[in-house]
Amino acid sequence: MKQDTIVILDLGSHNNTVIARCIRDLGVYSEIKPHDITLEELKAMGNVKGIILSGGENNIINGEAIDVIPELYDAGYPIMSIDHKLAKVESKTYPENEEDLSPMMKEFVFDVCCATPNWNMANFINDQVELIRKQVGNKKVLLALSGGVDSSVVAAMLIKAIGDQLVCVHVNHGLMRKGESENVVEVFRNQLHANLVYVDATDRFLGKLAGVADPEEKRKIIGAEFIRVFEEEARKLEGIEFLAQGTIYPDIIESGTKTAHVVKSHHNVGGLPEDMQFELVEPLYQLFKDEVRACGVELGLPYEMVYRQPFPGPGLGVRVLGAITTDRLEAVRESDAILREEFALAGLDKQVWQYFTVVPDFKSVGVKNNARCYEYPVIIRAVNTVDAMTAVVPQLDWDVLHKITNRILAEVPNVNRVCYDMSPKPCATIEWE
C-alpha cells in the first residue's frame, strides 16, 4: 500500500526536519527533497498529495536567491509556502513555537491536500518487503551486522523479505566496545541462528588508520575498508550482488544538501568507493531513529535489541579524537564499559538515550601516588533525543557522576581527569567527531 506523501522542498530552511516530523506524527508520510526537483521526479514518487516550500536564510546559491522550477507551480499540486517570499503563492511565517506548527500542518495536509493518514510501520514494512523482493530477485544480499539497532532492524526486514538469501557479516575492526563482538556472535549466531560470518580485521583497520587525525578522513577510510572486506567475503560466496546498509534519514540529511553544509560524513553516505562492486539495499533510509525502533518492534525484535545503546559505524574510531593510539583506544574502551555498567546500576540506561566516553589527543598535569603525572582526560557524553537531529543534556545525579569518576580514575590506565560535556545539539553534535 503506497502511502500518501507530502513533499517538503528545501529552499534554505533549518526547520525541514521539524516540519517532516510534524506531518509524520499526523500519520501522513513526508519526505524532504532538493528545491530543484523536476516534475518527472516528483511524479515518479507516486501519491504526492501536496508540496511545502520551506524557505530560510540558506536560500542563496552562487549569489542568487533560489526557487523551485516554474513548471511546478502549474502542475496542479496544492502548495504551501513557509518563509519563501519568491513563491507564486502566499508565504506563511514559520510559527515561533513548534507546538503551533501542528494545527497549520493539519489544515494543509487534510483539508487542502485531502491526504489519508496511512503512514504506519505495518504499511511501511509491507512496502519495503515488496521493494526488496523486486530489487533482489533470487540473488543474495550481504549485510554488515554490527548488532546495533539499525543493522539489526535491517536484518529482520531482509529475513522477512528474502529469508536465507541474506548473509550477515560481522567485522571486528578493533574499534568495538568492550565485549561487543562476542555479544554479536552469541545473539545472532547462537540464539537467532543467523547465517553469520565473523571477520577479525583489527590489525587491518588500525594499520590503515595509523597517523590519520582528520575525522572526515577516518570515517572515509573506515567506510572504504568495510567495503573491501565485504568484497573479499563476497568472492568466497556465490550470487552476492547486493550490499544492505542501515542508512537512516538523519545520516542523509547530515551528510549535506544543496542548501545545507555537511555536518559530518557518514561512512554509509558519500564515503563509499566509486568502484564498489555491489548494488545497495537501504530499506530504512526514509526513517528517523525513533521510527527505526518502532519498525523493529513491529518486526518482532526483542525490546532489549531494539532499544540497544546507539553506536556509530566507525565505532570507537570517532571517540578516540585525532590520530588513534593504542593507549587512548583502550582508555575509551575501558571507561565506556565503566560508564555503561554504572548507568545500568543506576537505572539511567532506560532514561538516557545515548551515553559514551571520548578521549582527546592531549594530556594534562595531575597527581597520582604523590607524584606528578601527565595523562589524558576522559570526557563523558550523555544526551536525550527523539530523532537524533536535536539533543539535550540530562542533569545527572551528582553521586552517580562521582562514582563513575572515581572508578575511571582508579581503573583506567593513562587517565587523570574526568569531564562531563554539557553541550546540546545544536550547536554541538552528539558525537565529538
Side-chain angles (χ1 to χ4, degrees), residues 295-325:
C295 183
V297 171
E298 184 70 27
L299 286 164
L301 288 175
Y303 177 90
E304 58 273 13
M305 183 180 295
V306 171
Y307 288 90
R308 191 173 186 172
Q309 176 69 194
F311 195 53
L316 300 181
V318 292
R319 295 177 180 174
V320 179
L321 308 186
I324 298 170
T325 58

Side-chain angles (χ1 to χ4, degrees), residues 8-310:
I8 300 163
L9 296 186
D10 180 13
L11 287 147
S13 174
H14 292 301
N15 300 313
N16 295 327
T17 57
V18 178
I19 296 171
R21 290 307 311 271
C22 180
I23 295 171
R24 292 190 188 190
D25 287 344
L26 294 173
V28 177
Y29 179 65
S30 62
E31 191 168 338
I32 303 165
K33 290 292 185 180
H35 71 281
D36 56 356
I37 187 172
T38 66
L39 198 54
E40 291 73 20
E41 290 170 332
L42 197 64
K43 291 178 178 179
M45 293 180 65
N47 284 29
V48 174
K49 305 296 286 188
I51 298 169
I52 295 176
L53 310 182
S54 182
E57 61 186 39
N58 290 331
N59 68 334
I60 305 295
I61 296 181
N62 297 326
E64 295 186 4
I66 58 174
D67 197 5
V68 298
I69 60 170
E71 294 86 353
L72 189 143
Y73 288 112
D74 301 318
Y77 295 104
I79 297 176
M80 171 188 279
S81 176
I82 304 178
D83 294 337
H84 182 59
K85 295 180 173 57
L86 290 180
K88 296 181 180 179
V89 294
E90 179 185 356
S91 179
K92 298 178 181 292
T93 302
Y94 188 86
E96 293 184 5
N97 300 313
E98 289 183 11
E99 53 264 29
D100 295 333
L101 180 64
S102 183
M104 186 167 74
M105 290 296 106
K106 188 174 183 180
E107 179 183 2
F108 177 70
V109 170
F110 296 122
D111 297 345
V112 178
C113 300
C114 300
T116 301
N118 55 5
W119 166 248
N120 57 62
M121 281 305 117
N123 287 343
F124 172 78
I125 291 169
N126 289 336
D127 284 348
Q128 289 303 314
V129 166
E130 181 180 344
L131 289 171
I132 291 168
R133 288 172 178 168
K134 183 177 180 180
Q135 179 184 9
V136 172
N138 61 357
K139 303 296 184 181
K140 291 184 179 179
V141 180
L142 201 59
L143 169 66
L145 181 57
S146 67
V149 177
D150 300 339
S151 65
S152 297
V153 175
V154 169
M157 180 85 76
L158 287 167
I159 289 170
K160 181 179 180 65
I162 58 173
D164 59 8
Q165 290 172 240
L166 174 65
V167 179
C168 299
V169 177
H170 176 69
V171 178
N172 181 0
H173 50 24
L175 303 169
M176 304 296 290
R177 292 176 292 197
K178 189 173 183 178
E180 191 83 40
S181 288
E182 294 84 353
N183 289 338
V184 169
V185 172
E186 170 60 28
V187 171
F188 287 95
R189 176 184 288 169
N190 299 341
Q191 297 180 21
L192 301 181
H193 309 292
N195 184 6
L196 177 64
V197 177
Y198 174 78
V199 181
D200 187 351
T202 299
D203 294 340
R204 176 172 174 171
F205 275 84
L206 295 184
K208 292 279 186 180
L209 291 164
V212 178
D214 181 74
E216 288 295 288
E217 188 65 22
K218 287 197 291 186
R219 287 177 178 272
K220 289 177 180 177
I221 287 172
I222 293 169
E225 204 60 25
F226 258 106
I227 298 301
R228 301 302 179 216
V229 173
F230 292 138
E231 286 177 340
E232 293 171 9
E233 292 303 317
R235 284 194 288 269
K236 302 174 185 176
L237 302 164
E238 293 183 0
I240 298 287
E241 295 186 10
F242 297 89
L243 174 67
Q245 291 197 140
T247 306
I248 64 175
Y249 213 27
D251 296 342
I252 295 172
I253 295 170
E254 288 190 337
S255 292
T257 67
K258 294 179 181 179
T259 60
H261 297 297
V262 172
V263 178
K264 60 186 175 184
S265 293
H266 289 263
H267 75 286
N268 50 0
V269 182
L272 302 177
E274 293 182 1
D275 60 345
M276 189 179 70
Q277 302 297 310
F278 303 112
E279 181 180 334
L280 291 178
V281 178
E282 299 177 298
L284 306 182
Y285 83 94
Q286 299 165 288
L287 302 184
F288 290 98
K289 194 70 178 188
D290 61 311
E291 293 172 330
V292 174
R293 298 186 192 279
C295 183
V297 171
E298 184 70 27
L299 286 164
L301 288 175
Y303 177 90
E304 58 273 13
M305 183 180 295
V306 171
Y307 288 90
R308 191 173 186 172
Q309 176 69 194

Side-chain angles (χ1 to χ4, degrees), residues 347-364:
L348 292 172
D349 58 325
K350 296 179 177 63
Q351 301 175 28
V352 180
W353 184 80
Q354 188 171 12
Y355 43 93
F356 54 89
T357 62
V358 299
V359 175
D361 57 350
F362 61 83
K363 296 180 179 181
S364 67

